[in-house]
Amino acid sequence: MAATPDTVHWRGVHHLALVTADMDATVRFWHGVLDARLVTTLAIPAFKHYFFEVAPGNTVAFFEYTDQQLDSFAKPAGVPYAKAAQFDHLSLHLPDEDALLRLRDRLKAHGCEVTDVIDHGFLRSIYFSDPNGIALEASWWTVDPTGRPVDYSDERLFADPDPVPAVRELREAGRLHHTVATRLVDGIIEDLRREGITLE
């Protein structure tokens, strides 16, 4: 159920903000190895914030905090880890199998470990990590479900034999019976109050 009659006009991911303990190594990997152009940087005394283009209008960005010890870890994609409760991995989109194979070969040429191509049915992927231990994937759609009407009965794309109630509602009624509300983190509310802004 939509709260407003107008749709949201998405244009992709503006930026995904991640954290690095070594911005120099991050630039060397994302710009140098992955060929994701460094397109903008900003810095204040508390942090550096650098943005890498992965498609027109779409970037992956990193924070490097000043004088801040980080408890870093590395985990493979799709494997639970208590310290990574809200983030598992980032998959970057490629146009076809040839591009996937060329990226795999490029990673190997730069001395980066990478899997062979994994066939997931509707997409094919390779897996690797960045210097921060962030689990990365590169994928291309073999059956692209985006940019066209959704068919919730298409078992190639909706293969969960016991879907959550929301998916059953979409399949049966073509809409959700209700949505969920969320709350801001206390730190954001405190920042707004300092600026003289109150929430209704």
Side-chain angles (χ1 to χ4, degrees):
M1 170 167 71
T4 58
D6 195 15
T7 60
V8 178
H9 302 283
W10 293 117
R11 296 187 67 191
V13 176
H14 185 281
H15 70 277
L16 172 67
L18 302 170
V19 177
T20 179
D22 186 343
M23 189 67 82
D24 185 68
T26 297
V27 171
R28 293 177 193 286
F29 181 78
W30 282 84
H31 182 91
V33 176
L34 294 187
D35 200 25
R37 291 187 313 139
L38 177 66
V39 291
T40 188
T41 69
L42 64 88
I44 63 172
F47 60 77
K48 294 181 183 299
H49 198 23
Y50 287 17
F51 294 73
F52 302 87
E53 180 185 38
V54 293
N58 295 242
T59 61
V60 174
F62 283 86
F63 283 101
E64 180 186 63
Y65 299 111
T66 305
D67 300 324
Q68 177 65 49
Q69 287 294 107
L70 298 176
D71 184 16
S72 64
F73 59 88
K75 65 168 289 304
V79 176
Y81 186 60
K83 292 183 179 181
Q86 292 179 315
F87 179 79
D88 188 84
H89 69 280
L90 168 63
S91 182
L92 301 168
H93 182 48
L94 290 173
D96 53 34
E97 185 85 3
D98 183 59
L100 194 66
L101 294 173
R102 282 188 284 112
L103 176 59
R104 183 199 60 190
D105 293 345
R106 180 183 176 98
L107 285 160
K108 287 182 179 182
H110 283 274
C112 300
E113 292 184 344
V114 58
T115 68
D116 203 354
V117 175
I118 309 296
D119 187 350
H120 296 291
F122 57 86
L123 62 87
R124 290 171 61 88
S125 304
I126 58 173
Y127 295 88
F128 51 102
S129 296
D130 90 335
N132 305 292
I134 295 169
L136 299 173
E137 175 183 5
S139 308
W140 71 278
W141 295 112
T142 60
V143 179
D144 190 348
T146 66
R148 62 183 172 120
V150 177
D151 179 1
Y152 295 107
S153 66
D154 186 340
E155 293 183 359
R156 297 172 306 163
L157 300 171
F158 294 92
D160 183 355
D162 185 26
V164 297
V167 174
R168 288 197 291 274
E169 291 169 18
L170 289 169
R171 185 175 282 161
E172 293 162 9
R175 64 180 186 82
L176 297 173
H177 299 316
H178 67 276
T179 59
V180 296
T182 61
R183 298 185 55 83
L184 289 172
V185 175
D186 288 342
I188 295 173
I189 295 170
E190 291 164 12
D191 287 345
L192 292 173
R193 284 189 187 132
R194 278 193 288 275
E195 297 294 323
I197 301 168
T198 57
L199 299 174
E200 296 183 18

